[in-house]
């Protein structure tokens, strides 16, 4: 989200952080239904938060609802490494092995290409 420039943005950022913290706490004590409820609220209020989207999907994954978890992540505007790994886990659970493999391989290829452009990979 970047540095907040107004009091309203700071309050929104704090509120989102509170949601995320509570969701993680509920997940850590295996209260997945409570975590899911908060995750749905958090995503509704802060749809731009990648962490909120990830935790929302993680709740569904922990409930064994792999199609829901995968659908949430596949509809996300951008995927970070944790999200890509969770998509691959969902694909594995759904026996969609080729799709999971291609998702991970595309990420590896992308990361390798970026590192070649910056010159941080040895030949």
């Amino acid at each position: 989200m970047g540095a907040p420039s107004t009091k309203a943005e700071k309050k929104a950022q704090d509120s989102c952080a509170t949601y995320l913290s509570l969701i993680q706490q509920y997940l850590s004590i295996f209260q997945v239904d409570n975590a899911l409820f908060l995750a749905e609220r958090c995503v509704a209020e802060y749809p731009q938060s990648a962490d909120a989207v990830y935790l929302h999907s993680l709740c569904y994954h922990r409930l064994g609802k792999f199609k829901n978890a995968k659908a949430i992540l596949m509809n996300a505007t951008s995927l970070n490494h944790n999200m890509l790994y969770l998509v691959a886990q969902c694909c594995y659970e759904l026996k969609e092995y080729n799709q999971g493999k291609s998702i991970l391989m595309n990420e590896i290829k992308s990361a390798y290409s970026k590192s070649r452009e910056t010159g941080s990979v040895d030949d």
Side-chain angles (χ1 to χ4, degrees):
M1 275 199 244
S5 59
T6 67
K7 286 184 181 183
E9 289 175 355
K10 174 72 171 134
K11 185 176 178 181
Q13 188 178 31
D14 290 346
S15 179
C16 184
T18 300
Y19 268 121
L20 297 175
S21 176
L22 287 169
I23 294 163
Q24 290 169 335
Q25 288 177 34
Y26 277 123
L27 286 172
S28 73
I29 60 171
F30 304 102
Q31 295 292 319
V32 183
D33 290 328
N34 292 351
L36 178 60
F37 174 79
L38 290 176
E40 288 175 345
R41 297 273 311 152
C42 187
V43 168
E45 289 185 41
Y46 309 101
Q48 75 284 0
S49 171
D51 292 332
V53 172
Y54 171 73
L55 289 175
H56 186 211
S57 181
L58 184 61
C59 289
Y60 276 110
H61 184 270
R62 295 252 178 108
L63 289 169
K65 297 181 178 185
F66 306 115
K67 285 185 182 181
N68 296 39
K70 181 182 166 197
I72 290 166
L73 293 170
M74 297 303 283
N75 289 327
T77 54
S78 64
L79 298 175
N80 61 32
H81 297 297
N82 290 336
M83 295 165 107
L84 288 167
Y85 183 72
L86 187 56
V87 170
Q89 282 184 314
C90 291
C91 289
Y92 176 80
E93 297 293 343
L94 295 168
K95 299 183 180 357
E96 297 172 352
Y97 305 117
N98 287 334
Q99 185 179 14
K101 177 183 167 186
S102 69
I103 287 168
L104 292 177
M105 290 303 293
N106 287 339
E107 176 61 18
I108 291 168
K109 289 175 187 176
S110 174
Y112 180 75
S113 295
K114 288 178 185 175
S115 65
R116 295 279 296 172
E117 290 172 5
T118 61
S120 61
V121 173
D122 295 329
D123 289 323

